[in-house]
Every structure is written in structure tokens, then in C-alpha cells.
Amino acid sequence: MKRKIKMQRKKVSINYIKLVGVFIFSLFSGIISAQENTKKAQKEARVFAAEAQESLSENNFAQAEANYRKAIAKDPTNAEAKYNLGNLYYAKDKEGESTPRLKQASETSQSKALKHKAYHNQGNAFMKQKKYEEAVEAFKNALRNNPKDDQTRYNLALAKKMLEKEQQEQDQNQDQDKDQNQDKEDQKDQQDQDKKDEGENKKDQGEDKEKGDEGDQKDKEDQSEDKKQDEGDQKKEEQPKDPSQEKGDQPKDQKPQQAKGQLSPQQIKNLLEAMENQEKEIQDKINAQKAKGRKVRTEKDW
């Protein structure tokens, strides 16, 4: 029984070893196959890159771009193809497409020399786009990979100067915007104040108008009264004047005329004479009656 168990254990061990061997073989086979495929892809990528270079020599930029793209698709680790494609875009004034390819080249490459060139050209592309802050960082990375490059150092200094100038202009623009906003606020406040003053002026004018209308009405009434008074005075002046009241205009030898409602001296004299005559007649009658011995009742007729 024990012997049988030992035989079974030996069979299990043998099978396990076989399985491990098959796995290891498959693994190595896969690695070898992948390596072969990689080598094949890299070889094809180099072919496409070479064709791209040939197209560039013939000034066929479209075909060169297509071949570089094929090379990168076959071998994504081909930093040189990415670098050359980035330079192609830069030469065609396509900086927006140039900087991503150059960045890929700088991140993919294991060579410091290629990294330096990729960062340097990336900085130049940023300068053309007036992205000075990004350019400063790119030139710094280029110097990290090649501190001895004077051209990169010069470009870095220029990028810093342009960045400083840009920041000053931005500060000035912000100050101007702030001043403009303040001016707009002041203008709005002034307009509000003007509207308020205008409303108060209209109110005051309305009150003054009411007072003025009352004053005008009073003046009209006073003028009407004055007019009536003037008309009355004029009528008085137009009425015939009594010559006796204008002593200055009477001749010296002319007697004053009788005033209205008074008796003239002649009338008074005539009246007195009439009264005397009447009284004389009455007296004569009385005397006649006395002579006859009869009483006569007297009464006044005047």
C-alpha cells in the first residue's frame, strides 16, 4: 500500500515538472516572438523614417509627414522619428503641432543629446507662439541635459526678458482696466447724481411754477384793478369840466359861473323881490279887511 502511494506521488511530481516546463517554454517563446516582432517593427519604422528623410530632400513635406507618422505608429519608442516630425512642423510654421512631438521625443529618448536638442527646439517653438513661460522651462530642461550649450543659455535669457516684459504689460493692462472700471463707476455715480439732481430740479421748478402761476394770477388781478382804475380816471378826464373849477383858464373879467345845485345872485335877488311883492300884496289885503272891520286869516305860501 505504501509503495503504491509512493508511485502516485512520483507521477504527480513528474506531471508538475512537465507543466512548469511547458509554461517556461511558452513564456520564452512568447518573449522571443515579441522581441522578434519588436525588431521587425523597429526595422520597418527605420525604413519609413528613411523614406521620410528622402521625401524631405525632395521638398515633399506631405509625404515626409506621412512616413514619419507610419514610423512612429510602427515603433512608438522611436524618439528620433518624433523629433524629426516635430522639426518638420516647426519648419512649416505649425508650432502648435511641433511642440507636442518635440515633447514626446524628449520624454521618449534615452539619449541626453537628443533630449537636449528636443527641449531646445521645443523652447524655440514656444517663443514663436509667445508662450514665454513655457519657453523658459523648455530651455532650462535643455541646459540640464547639456549645460555647455551657449545658444540655449542665450535663448533662456531672452525668454526670461520677454516673460518679464509680458508680465509688466499685463500689470499695466490690469492697472488700466482697474482705472477704466473706476472711471466707469465714477461716471455711473455721476450719472446717478445728475439724475437725482435733475429730479430735484424738476420738483423745485414745479413748485416755483405753481408759485409763479399764483403770482402771475395775482399780478393779473392787480393789473386788472389798475386797468379799471385807469379806465375810471380816463372817463373822468373825458367828462366835460366845469369852467368855474378851472380858475386858471378863466378870463379876469368873466364872473364865476354858478355851481351845480346853487342859486345865482340874480336868482336870489329875483326871489327876494317876488317874496317882498307877495308879502306886500298880503299886507294890502290885511289892511283892506281891517278897513272893513273883518278879520282875515293869514297863511304863508312860501
Side-chain angles (χ1 to χ4, degrees):
M1 186 70 180
K2 291 180 179 180
R3 193 174 180 181
K4 187 176 181 180
I5 292 171
K6 288 180 180 180
M7 291 292 292
Q8 290 177 351
R9 287 179 177 175
K10 288 181 180 179
K11 288 181 179 180
V12 171
S13 298
I14 293 170
N15 291 334
Y16 178 75
I17 292 171
K18 287 181 178 179
L19 289 172
V20 172
V22 170
F23 175 76
I24 293 172
F25 178 77
S26 299
L27 181 62
F28 277 107
S29 297
I31 292 173
I32 293 171
S33 177
Q35 288 177 347
E36 290 178 352
N37 290 334
T38 301
K39 289 180 180 180
K40 183 180 179 181
Q42 289 175 346
K43 184 178 180 179
E44 292 176 352
R46 286 193 294 271
V47 172
F48 284 124
E51 291 177 356
Q53 288 288 81
E54 186 178 354
S55 298
L56 279 176
S57 64
E58 297 173 356
N59 292 327
N60 190 345
F61 295 102
Q63 188 61 44
E65 179 186 2
N67 288 329
Y68 278 131
R69 285 179 175 275
K70 290 177 182 179
I72 294 170
K74 285 291 182 179
D75 183 13
T77 63
N78 192 330
E80 189 173 353
K82 296 176 180 178
Y83 172 76
N84 290 336
L85 181 58
N87 290 339
L88 173 63
Y89 287 137
Y90 181 82
K92 297 298 292 181
D93 295 327
K94 296 181 179 180
E95 294 82 11
E97 297 178 47
S98 174
T99 49
R101 291 300 182 179
L102 293 170
K103 183 178 180 182
Q104 292 172 0
S106 62
E107 293 173 349
T108 303
S109 177
Q110 300 299 320
S111 169
K112 281 193 172 185
L114 185 58
K115 281 180 176 291
H116 166 258
K117 290 190 294 184
Y119 279 123
H120 181 93
N121 290 353
Q122 186 180 351
N124 290 338
F126 280 130
M127 288 288 286
K128 289 185 72 173
Q129 298 176 74
K130 297 184 178 180
K131 295 182 178 180
Y132 303 118
E133 187 173 358
E134 291 85 346
V136 168
E137 191 62 29
F139 289 132
K140 285 182 178 180
N141 288 329
L143 287 174
R144 290 187 182 102
N145 288 278
N146 184 7
K148 296 180 180 181
D149 193 311
D150 293 334
Q151 184 64 45
T152 302
R153 188 174 290 105
Y154 173 82
N155 289 358
L156 174 60
L158 180 60
K160 286 181 176 180
K161 185 176 180 180
M162 296 302 294
L163 178 60
E164 183 179 357
K165 182 179 179 181
E166 182 184 53
Q167 290 175 345
Q168 290 177 352
E169 290 177 353
Q170 289 177 354
D171 293 339
Q172 290 177 357
N173 292 334
Q174 289 178 355
D175 293 339
Q176 290 178 357
D177 293 339
K178 186 177 180 180
D179 293 339
Q180 289 177 357
N181 293 333
Q182 184 64 39
D183 292 340
K184 289 180 179 179
E185 291 180 1
D186 294 341
Q187 186 176 4
K188 185 177 182 300
D189 293 340
Q190 185 63 40
Q191 290 176 351
D192 294 339
Q193 184 64 37
D194 292 341
K195 289 181 180 179
K196 184 178 178 181
D197 294 340
E198 184 178 357
E200 292 178 354
N201 290 335
K202 286 183 178 179
K203 183 179 178 181
D204 294 339
Q205 289 176 359
E207 293 177 354
D208 293 341
K209 185 177 180 181
E210 291 179 359
K211 292 179 180 179
D213 292 341
E214 293 177 357
D216 292 342
Q217 184 64 30
K218 186 176 181 181
D219 292 340
K220 288 180 180 179
E221 293 177 356
D222 294 340
Q223 291 175 359
S224 177
E225 291 294 330
D226 294 340
K227 186 176 181 181
K228 291 180 180 179
Q229 184 67 31
D230 294 339
E231 290 176 353
D233 295 340
Q234 186 176 2
K235 288 181 179 179
K236 289 181 179 180
E237 292 176 357
E238 292 176 354
Q239 289 179 357
K241 296 181 179 180
D242 188 353
S244 63
Q245 295 179 355
E246 298 180 357
K247 296 181 179 180
D249 296 337
Q250 290 179 353
K252 294 181 179 180
D253 56 350
Q254 184 177 355
K255 295 181 179 180
Q257 294 184 359
Q258 162 185 339
K260 187 177 181 180
Q262 295 181 355
L263 297 177
S264 64
Q266 184 63 38
Q267 290 175 339
I268 293 173
K269 183 178 179 182
N270 296 332
L271 181 59
L272 290 174
E273 290 178 355
M275 290 174 63
E276 289 177 355
N277 293 330
Q278 187 176 7
E279 187 175 357
K280 185 177 180 181
E281 290 177 359
I282 293 171
Q283 188 64 36
D284 291 339
K285 289 179 180 181
I286 293 173
N287 294 330
Q289 290 292 334
K290 285 181 178 180
K292 293 179 179 181
R294 296 174 57 183
K295 293 182 179 181
V296 179
R297 184 174 61 89
T298 64
E299 51 184 40
K300 287 185 179 183
D301 294 335
W302 49 279

